């Protein structure tokens, strides 16, 4: 039964009050907060028959269990003056519920009473907040005082666009303001981002009304590229340098071996900026690693001994390991040296058999003895070094005189030189060795092995390995009594 009422409420396509068959009963209740709105009112349904009452009740229950979609309106009309809430602009996630009130005063004859509850969310202020309705900022400070900032918030649709459009257009500037507030002058990088969209649908495509998001920013302490703290193509980088020093022992005190430094670099490549991870490594990451290594370790010379790069094309993540071999500042040119001396004795015995009943009986007469000592040395030096001829080409037969003195700080072991005279005992014209007691060099083997360490095309280290083996034999002049002595090093190298 239609009755004209100046007060009406319209929910989507369903109107109650006014001149409809659904009349408002008593006052309505409206409750608003910062982000919520709630409207409660009672409706009386009056039919002409029980069947008519059933149809009216079914239609009311069906219409007030629906959710409003984008563009639908909730209107509260007072005789021509109306409050209008438009879904997607001034109200969000608008839903309703209907409950039969069960009042004995209204449940009689062909009438029934219902309590209708409509509730929804209110959007953020488009002008003051740009669609940002909620924001929480958490700052985590590590033991090194590096800051990790997590931001959580909610964007809503406004008259200026959907929630996603407002988030993408507005929040970068707001995040920058908070990061500046947290630490002025620091460089922060966005390393993680996630957001959730509601189910709201426009005429052709989704038009989310509410978006909740989480962002995480990390304070950058190390450059991502050469001279650039935050490079747009590199994300979430981690850098470690490992100093590998080994001191296994050398024949000369104070020998500094070549040092090895391992750098590990791990990062993601921002696919919104580039998809060429190899170019990012070669053009940006690799030069940055090399310069940082030089600044941190100050090498005299260095080479890249090993380089390994892994590209994960499914996630655009990259990891690189570079191993540097270098000569530290202040180290000498000899980087490894091993030396040894060996005595070798061979004796001859003259055995004269004796014919008697003991078939093992011999006269044993001492023959002669060969006493030799063998010097061995292997050294590795930075730069060039030639093998040494110590006997031929006018070289002295004395090992003491012939060892190279071009290596700074190296002296010969203790031994007396053997002189060469111009005549022989038999009257021949050739030179002969003096009959003075002493050691005489009888063999010299000197081998040089050059090598270049480092990636071709880059700086390389020239390394030379020298291996020397010198054999000396001791003799006395007939009737002499010289002492071979025990070798003593002076400075550690023959």
């Amino acid at each position: 039964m239609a009755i004209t009422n100046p007060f009406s409420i319209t929910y989507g396509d369903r109107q109650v009050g006014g001149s409809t068959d659904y009349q408002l009963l008593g006052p309505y209740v409206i409750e608003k907060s910062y982000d919520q709105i709630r409207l409660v009112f009672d409706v009386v349904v009056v039919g002409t028959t029980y069947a008519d009452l059933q149809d009216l009740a079914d239609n009311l229950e069906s219409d007030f269990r629906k959710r409003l979609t984008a563009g639908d309106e909730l209107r509260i009309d007072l005789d021509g003056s109306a409050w209008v809430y438009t879904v997607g602009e001034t109200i969000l996630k608008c839903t309703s519920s209907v409950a039969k009130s069960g009042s004995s005063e209204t449940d009689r004859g062909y009438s029934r009473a219902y309590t209708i509850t409509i509730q929804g969310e209110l959007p953020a202020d488009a002008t003051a907040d740009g669609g940002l309705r909620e924001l929480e900022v958490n700052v985590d400070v590590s033991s090194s005082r590096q800051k990790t900032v997590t931001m959580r918030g909610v964007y809503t649709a406004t008259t200026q666009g959907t929630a996603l459009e407002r988030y993408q257009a507005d929040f970068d500037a707001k995040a920058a303001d908070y990061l500046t507030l947290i630490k002025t002058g620091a460089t922060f990088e966005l390393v993680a981002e996630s957001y959730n969209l509601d189910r709201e649908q426009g005429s052709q495509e989704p038009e989310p009304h509410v978006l909740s998001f989480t962002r995480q920013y990390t304070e950058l302490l190390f450059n991502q590229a050469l001279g650039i703290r935050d490079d747009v193509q590199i994300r979430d980088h981690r850098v470690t340098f490992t100093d590998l020093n080994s001191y296994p022992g050398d024949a000369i005190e104070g020998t500094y071996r070549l040092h090895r430094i391992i750098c590990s670099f791990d990062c993601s490549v921002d696919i919104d900026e580039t998809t060429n991870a190899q170019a990012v490594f070669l053009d940006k990451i690799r030069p940055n690693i090399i310069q940082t290594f030089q600044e941190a370790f100050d090498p005299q010379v260095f080479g890249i001994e090993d380089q390994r790069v892994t590209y994960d094309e499914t996630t655009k993540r990259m990891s690189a390991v570079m191993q540097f071999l270098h000569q530290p500042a202040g180290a000498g040119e000899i980087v490894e040296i091993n030396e040894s001396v060996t005595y070798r004795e061979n004796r001859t015995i003259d055995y004269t058999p004796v014919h008697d009943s003991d078939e093992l009986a011999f006269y044993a007469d001492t023959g002669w003895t060969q006493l030799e000592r063998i010097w061995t040395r292997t050294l590795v030096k930075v730069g060039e070094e030639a093998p040494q001829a110590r006997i031929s080409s006018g070289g002295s037969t004395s090992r003491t005189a012939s060892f190279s003195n071009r290596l700074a700080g190296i002296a010969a072991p203790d031994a007396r030189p053997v002189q060469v005279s111009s005549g022989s005992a038999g009257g021949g014209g050739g030179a002969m060795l003096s009959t003075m007691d002493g050691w005489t060099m009888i063999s010299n083997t000197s081998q040089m092995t050059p090598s270049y360490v480092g990636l071709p095309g880059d700086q390389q280290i020239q390394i030379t390995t020298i291996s020397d083996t010198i054999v000396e034999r001791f003799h006395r002049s007939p009737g002499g009594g010289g002492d071979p002595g025990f070798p003593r090093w002076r400075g550690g190298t023959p």
Side-chain angles (χ1 to χ4, degrees), residues 190-203:
L190 177 63
V191 295
E193 179 182 16
S194 64
Y195 53 82
N196 299 318
L197 305 175
D198 65 16
R199 57 168 288 183
E200 296 300 333
Q201 186 79 18
S203 58

Side-chain angles (χ1 to χ4, degrees), residues 224-226 231 233-234 265 267-270 273-288 307 309-311 313 316 318 320:
Q224 293 180 332
L226 194 62
D231 187 276
Q233 296 181 347
I234 301 172
F265 193 107
C267 71
S268 293
V269 176
D270 191 332
E273 300 293 338
T274 182
T275 57
N276 192 342
Q278 186 175 15
V280 172
F281 171 73
L282 294 175
D283 298 339
K284 297 185 175 184
I285 294 175
R286 190 175 184 275
N288 186 33
Q307 176 179 297
V309 187
T310 301
Y311 303 100
E313 295 294 343
K316 284 301 177 182
M318 175 199 329

Side-chain angles (χ1 to χ4, degrees), residues 54-72:
Q54 182 180 9
D55 289 340
L56 292 173
D58 286 345
N59 291 335
L60 183 74
E61 292 174 6
S62 176
D63 289 338
F64 279 102
R65 59 176 297 273
K66 297 177 181 178
R67 58 187 296 274
L68 299 187
T69 58
D72 291 341

Side-chain angles (χ1 to χ4, degrees), residues 5-12 14-18 24 26-32 36-42 64 68 72-86 90-91 94 116-120 122:
N5 187 338
F7 176 43
S8 66
I9 296 175
T10 304
Y11 181 78
R14 171 59 62 191
Q15 184 185 51
V16 296
L24 294 169
Y28 70 93
V29 176
I30 186 168
E31 177 185 357
K32 288 184 179 181
Q36 300 289 327
I37 182 172
R38 183 170 174 267
L39 175 64
V40 181
F41 54 91
D42 293 324
F64 279 102
L68 299 187
D72 291 341
E73 292 182 346
L74 170 65
R75 297 175 60 93
I76 304 173
D77 198 313
L78 295 176
D79 196 18
S81 299
W83 291 279
V84 180
Y85 297 90
T86 303
T90 52
I91 192 171
C94 189
I116 308 296
T117 302
I118 300 173
Q119 58 188 5
L122 295 177

Side-chain angles (χ1 to χ4, degrees), residues 196-402:
N196 299 318
L197 305 175
D198 65 16
R199 57 168 288 183
E200 296 300 333
Q201 186 79 18
S203 58
Q204 299 294 330
E205 58 186 16
E207 293 182 1
H209 292 173
V210 179
L211 176 149
S212 58
F213 69 90
T214 300
R215 284 190 180 191
Q216 186 175 78
Y217 294 84
T218 297
E219 181 183 3
L220 298 183
L221 305 180
F222 182 83
N223 287 352
Q224 293 180 332
L226 194 62
I228 302 174
R229 182 58 53 93
D230 186 10
D231 187 276
V232 294
Q233 296 181 347
I234 301 172
R235 295 281 184 178
D236 191 25
H237 72 311
R238 296 172 179 84
V239 188
T240 60
F241 282 90
T242 304
D243 191 350
L244 300 178
N245 293 330
S246 179
Y247 308 98
D250 289 280
I252 298 179
E253 183 179 4
T255 300
Y256 284 91
R257 293 206 170 193
L258 294 177
H259 287 193
R260 283 178 171 84
I261 305 296
I262 298 177
C263 176
S264 300
F265 193 107
D266 180 81
C267 71
S268 293
V269 176
D270 191 332
I271 60 174
D272 291 336
E273 300 293 338
T274 182
T275 57
N276 192 342
Q278 186 175 15
V280 172
F281 171 73
L282 294 175
D283 298 339
K284 297 185 175 184
I285 294 175
R286 190 175 184 275
N288 186 33
I289 292 175
I290 294 175
Q291 178 171 301
T292 303
F293 159 75
Q294 291 179 280
E295 292 174 351
F297 297 97
D298 189 24
Q300 296 187 56
V301 291
F302 74 92
I304 299 174
E305 190 177 31
D306 188 73
Q307 176 179 297
R308 304 179 188 184
V309 187
T310 301
Y311 303 100
D312 184 350
E313 295 294 343
T314 60
T315 62
K316 284 301 177 182
R317 191 142 190 104
M318 175 199 329
S319 61
V321 178
M322 296 178 66
Q323 180 168 299
F324 297 89
L325 185 67
H326 74 101
Q327 185 181 28
E333 60 183 2
I334 296 179
V335 294
E336 291 184 37
I337 182 166
N338 294 292
E339 297 174 336
S340 66
V341 59
T342 303
Y343 270 70
R344 181 172 62 198
E345 296 177 293
N346 292 309
R347 166 182 281 180
T348 59
I349 301 294
D350 291 332
Y351 292 95
T352 303
V354 177
H355 298 283
D356 60 13
S357 59
D358 185 359
E359 59 185 21
L360 295 178
F362 287 84
Y363 290 111
D365 297 306
T366 302
W368 58 88
T369 299
Q370 291 183 353
L371 174 59
E372 296 176 339
R373 61 184 180 191
I374 301 112
W375 305 85
T376 59
R377 176 188 67 177
T378 301
L379 68 84
V380 180
K381 64 166 292 184
V382 175
E384 292 183 302
E385 178 69 15
Q388 297 298 306
R390 297 181 171 91
I391 298 178
S392 61
S393 301
S396 169
T397 56
S398 167
R399 176 200 49 77
T400 304
S402 62

Side-chain angles (χ1 to χ4, degrees), residues 460-477:
Q460 294 183 306
I461 303 179
Q462 183 182 11
I463 295 177
T464 304
T465 302
I466 299 292
S467 299
D468 289 319
T469 302
I470 297 171
V471 180
E472 298 176 309
R473 183 173 294 172
F474 182 81
H475 73 280
R476 295 192 187 100
S477 59

